[in-house]
Amino acid sequence: MLDRLHDALRLRTSPTIFFGSAAVILVFVVLTLVFTDTMDAVFAQGSAWVIEQLGWFYILGVTVFLLFLVYLMISRFGQVRLGADDERPQHSNMSWFAMLFAAGIGTILMFWAVAEPVNHYANPPRQGVAPESAESATEAMGFTLYHFGLHTWTIFTLPALAFGYFMYKRNLPPRVSSMFQPLLGERIHGPVGRVIDILAIVGTLFGVAVSIGLGTMQINSGLARLFGISESALSQILIITAVSIVAAVSVALGLDRGIKRLSNANILIAISLLVFILISGPTVMMLKGMVESAGTYLSMLPALAFWNDALADTGWQSGWTVFYWAWTITWSPFVGIFIARISRGRTIRQFVSGVLAFPTLFTIIWFGIFGMGVFDIELNGDGGLVQAVVTEGDIPGAMFVFLENFPLSTITSAVGVLIVVFFFITSIDSAALVMDTMGSGHEEESPVLQRVFWVAAIGVIAAILLTATGAEGLTALQNVAILIGLPFFVLGYVMIYSLLRALREDAGEVGVLPTRRWRRVLPPEEFRRRTTTGQLDEQYVVAPDYVEGSEPDNAPAIEHPEQPDYVQEYHTGSMRTIRPEEQRPRA
C-alpha cells in the first residue's frame, strides 16, 4: 500500500521512513489542535521531570562528548580523511565556515546576542554576585560564551563526524542508522534501523521548529518596531508562511545555487552589522572587553563544564543550560549531516579543530562586542535594557532595544530583521534538504516535491508550537525541546562507541592508513529501483560489506554478511577481490 502511494506521488525515498515520519507529524498536529490543554500538560510535566531528575545527565553528556572529540583530534585517528585517501575539500574555508555557521546557530546568535548577557547581568546565575555590577557583567560573559562556544559546537561536531565517517569512508547511506552499523550490521535496513531514522527525522524537525519559532518571534518584534505590525498569532503565522515559501524556492534550487549563496551573503551582512556596532559604539571598551571575555570564558570553562548547581539548587540551569543542550541536540542530526556533506575530504583533525575553533572564535567576537555594548549602555549610558528585556520580559525585542542606542537605528533594525530572515531561510532549507536525504538514503537529487514537503512540515510545526498551544510561546518551545532531546543524548554515547569501534576496525589498531575499503551501500528499495532501470554497477550492495583484501595488516577479521537474493542474482560470479600487490603503500 505504501509502495503504491509512493509511486503514485512520484517520490523517490523509503516509503516506510517517509510516511512513518509524516504520520507522526500529523498525529502531533491533530492532538495539539484537539487536545490543547492535555498536550501542554504532557510536555510541561515531562520536561519538568527531565530537568529535575536528569539535568545533570545533559550537562555531563556534552562535556564527555567534547573530551572524546579532543581525544580523536590529537590521536592517530586524526589523520583519517573523511573520504578517499587522496580526496581534498570541495569548499573553500570561507564558504565552509559561512555554510556551517548559517545552518548552525546563526539565528540563535541574533536572538540571544543582547538578551542573554543582559539577563545574566541582572540575575547572576551563581549566588554571592551582586546584580547589575561589574562582577555580574564579567560572569555574564563567561556563562554566555559557555552556552554558545565549544559545548554547543560539540553537540554538532560529534554526529557530524560520525556521519562523515560512515557516509564517506564506509560509503553507507546518509542516515542516522548508518552510524550504528558496527553494532547493527545489515539490520540498519531493518525495522530497528527504520525506527531510528524516523525518530531522528521527527526529532530534528521539532528541534528546527523551535529555532524557527524563536526567529519568528524576533522578526515579529522587529517589524512591530519598524512598521507597527502587531505581535500576534496571525502575524507570526504570516511570517512563517512567507519565509517558508522563500525557503521552498531555495531548497528547490539545491545546495550550491540556493543555500551556499544565501549563507555567504548573510554572513557578510552579519559581519557588517557587527563592524558598525564596533565602530559607532565604545570601540576601545568593546575590544578590551572581547579579549577579557575570552579569558573569563577559558578560566570558568573547567568548572562550568561540570557545574550542576547542586548545593544552591536555584533551578537556574533548567531555563538556560539544560534547555540549550536539549534543544541543540534535537537538531544535531540535521546540522550533522549538513556539516558532513560540506566537509567531505577533510581529515578528522582538520574537521574537529575547524568546526570547534572557527565558530567558537566568531562567537567570542560576536558576544564580546554586543555584550560590552550592553554593559556600556547600562553602566555608562541611559540604561533601559534591563527594564525592557528582564523586567518586562521582551526577550525577542532585545536586539532592537539595543540598536536604538546607536546611530541609524531604523536602518540597523531593518538590517537585523533581514539577517534573521536569511538565517531563518538557510536553517529551513538546510534542514529540509537533510531530512529528505535521511529519508531517501542517498545524496542524489530527489524530486522537488519531497524537499518542499519538509519545508512545509517545519513551518507547520513551528506555527503550531507558537500559536496553537495554550502555553506562552517561548515556554512551549522550551518544554518540547527539553523532552525531545533526551533520547538523542542516549544515542550520543552509543555513537561514540560505534565510531571508535569503526575507526579501530578500519585502521587495524596500528597506523592510520590505509583503511579498509567498503562497498557502496544502497537501501533495498533504491537497489531494486536501480536494478530495474539498469542504473546499477557491481560496486553496490545492500548489507554493509567491505572489499576482501583491502584491510590493513593486523586488522581484526569481520565476517562478510550474506547479501539478499536479488543482490546475488544481480552480481554475476564472485565479487572481485583486491590482491595485496594492488594495495596502495602505506603513507
Side-chain angles (χ1 to χ4, degrees):
M1 176 180 170
L2 291 181
D3 289 336
R4 289 197 299 271
L5 179 59
H6 170 277
D7 295 340
L9 294 174
R10 297 183 179 180
L11 303 178
R12 187 181 176 184
T13 184
S14 165
T16 302
I17 295 175
F18 182 85
F19 292 116
S21 303
V24 174
I25 297 168
L26 179 62
V27 169
F28 171 82
V29 170
V30 171
L31 290 178
T32 302
L33 293 176
V34 177
F35 304 103
T36 302
D37 293 339
T38 302
M39 291 294 287
D40 280 346
V42 168
F43 281 110
Q45 293 172 10
S47 64
W49 182 88
V50 168
I51 289 169
E52 184 177 347
Q53 303 297 329
L54 297 175
W56 63 270
F57 179 69
Y58 283 64
I59 293 168
L60 175 65
V62 183
T63 299
V64 170
F65 299 164
L66 175 59
L67 295 175
F68 171 73
L69 290 171
V70 172
Y71 158 73
L72 283 187
M73 182 178 65
I74 64 177
S75 72
R76 67 187 187 279
F77 298 125
Q79 302 175 49
V80 174
R81 194 170 294 276
L82 304 179
D85 298 342
D86 57 353
E87 197 166 354
R88 291 298 178 267
Q90 178 183 0
H91 303 286
S92 68
N93 287 336
M94 184 60 194
S95 292
W96 181 54
F97 168 66
M99 285 191 288
L100 69 88
F101 176 81
I105 59 172
T107 305
I108 310 312
L109 290 187
M110 286 295 296
F111 190 88
W112 294 109
V114 174
E116 176 142 0
V118 76
N119 264 283
H120 301 337
Y121 169 72
N123 298 307
R126 297 195 288 198
Q127 291 186 326
V129 179
E132 301 184 40
S133 63
E135 184 182 3
S136 70
T138 299
E139 282 212 352
M141 292 306 300
F143 274 94
T144 299
L145 293 176
Y146 168 54
H147 286 154
F148 294 98
L150 290 172
H151 278 67
T152 282
W153 285 96
T154 290
I155 297 174
F156 295 144
T157 306
L158 177 60
L161 177 60
F163 276 125
Y165 189 86
F166 287 104
M167 287 167 56
Y168 301 127
K169 177 61 72 176
R170 287 204 167 183
N171 287 321
L172 295 175
R175 287 174 172 167
V176 173
S177 58
S178 294
M179 294 189 288
F180 306 102
Q181 182 267 332
L183 301 174
L184 298 177
E186 63 271 21
R187 287 179 294 170
I188 62 174
H189 295 320
V192 175
R194 293 191 183 98
V195 169
I196 291 175
D197 291 323
I198 290 173
L199 290 177
I201 290 174
V202 173
T204 299
L205 189 147
F206 276 89
V208 175
V210 170
S211 298
I212 300 309
L214 293 176
T216 300
M217 294 168 66
Q218 189 173 29
I219 293 171
N220 197 176
S221 179
L223 293 177
R225 283 173 167 77
L226 288 170
F227 307 110
I229 297 175
S230 64
E231 297 185 57
S232 62
L234 177 60
S235 298
Q236 292 170 355
I237 291 175
L238 291 176
I239 290 170
I240 291 175
T241 302
V243 178
S244 296
I245 291 173
V246 179
V249 174
S250 177
V251 80
L253 292 174
L255 178 63
D256 288 328
R257 289 185 295 168
I259 300 170
K260 183 175 181 178
R261 292 178 181 177
L262 277 176
S263 299
N264 288 335
N266 206 29
I267 194 69
L268 291 176
I269 298 174
I271 291 174
S272 298
L273 177 63
L274 188 71
V275 171
F276 175 81
I277 296 298
L278 176 63
I279 294 174
S280 60
T283 305
V284 175
M285 176 186 176
M286 287 179 173
L287 293 175
K288 290 168 62 177
M290 180 177 62
V291 175
E292 185 174 305
S293 296
T296 300
Y297 169 53
L298 293 177
S299 65
M300 293 176 63
L301 183 60
L304 292 184
F306 298 95
W307 184 62
N308 275 281
D309 197 22
L311 297 178
D313 195 22
T314 62
W316 177 88
Q317 283 182 313
S318 64
W320 291 98
T321 308
V322 175
F323 162 62
Y324 277 147
W325 294 171
W327 162 36
T328 305
I329 205 167
T330 57
W331 54 318
S332 63
F334 131 60
V335 179
I337 285 188
F338 184 79
I339 294 177
R341 290 187 65 179
I342 63 177
S343 304
R344 181 170 183 167
R346 299 181 187 271
T347 65
I348 289 179
R349 183 167 295 123
Q350 293 170 338
F351 179 88
V352 173
S353 61
V355 178
L356 287 180
F358 289 157
T360 298
L361 178 60
F362 186 86
T363 299
I364 291 173
I365 297 172
W366 181 270
F367 280 103
I369 292 175
F370 279 99
M372 286 301 123
V374 167
F375 303 140
D376 179 68
I377 292 170
E378 289 298 315
L379 294 171
N380 305 319
D382 297 332
L385 288 172
V386 171
Q387 175 66 29
V389 180
V390 181
T391 305
E392 299 175 7
D394 188 12
I395 293 178
M399 173 65 74
F400 306 107
V401 176
F402 172 82
L403 292 175
E404 290 173 357
N405 292 273
F406 291 82
L408 306 175
S409 60
T410 301
I411 296 176
T412 55
S413 294
V415 171
V417 171
L418 183 64
I419 293 173
V420 176
V421 169
F422 273 18
F423 279 138
F424 196 154
I425 295 170
T426 53
S427 295
I428 292 180
D429 56 15
S430 300
L433 193 64
V434 166
M435 287 189 289
D436 179 63
T437 299
M438 285 195 286
S440 61
H442 59 83
E443 293 186 274
E444 296 181 15
E445 189 169 293
S446 62
V448 174
L449 177 63
Q450 285 181 203
R451 287 174 277 163
V452 172
F453 168 80
W454 296 114
V455 172
I458 294 170
V460 169
I461 295 298
I464 290 289
L465 291 176
L466 268 182
T467 63
T469 59
E472 188 267 336
L474 187 58
T475 301
L477 297 175
Q478 289 178 324
N479 289 340
V480 171
I482 291 171
L483 196 57
I484 296 293
L486 180 59
F488 284 85
F489 263 97
V490 175
L491 289 178
Y493 286 95
V494 183
M495 198 182 304
I496 288 176
Y497 172 80
S498 183
L499 178 59
L500 193 57
R501 175 172 166 177
L503 283 164
R504 287 174 171 170
E505 287 177 353
D506 293 349
E509 298 286 349
V510 290
V512 178
L513 296 175
T515 55
R516 194 188 308 267
R517 301 179 194 171
W518 288 77
R519 300 187 184 278
R520 176 70 63 181
V521 179
L522 285 177
E525 61 274 4
E526 184 65 20
F527 188 95
R528 291 180 185 273
R529 189 176 297 114
R530 295 191 187 190
T531 302
T532 303
T533 58
Q535 297 177 327
L536 204 63
D537 58 45
E538 289 288 339
Q539 68 172 315
Y540 293 108
V541 290
V542 173
D545 197 10
Y546 67 95
V547 178
E548 183 69 37
S550 68
E551 60 271 23
D553 295 337
N554 303 316
I558 303 176
E559 292 185 4
H560 290 278
E562 180 115 359
Q563 299 291 334
D565 292 340
Y566 54 84
V567 179
Q568 301 291 355
E569 292 172 3
Y570 178 78
H571 290 302
T572 56
S574 60
M575 293 183 179
R576 178 177 178 274
T577 59
I578 303 297
R579 295 192 298 274
E581 59 269 20
E582 294 177 335
Q583 294 189 48
R584 297 182 59 183
R586 293 181 183 273

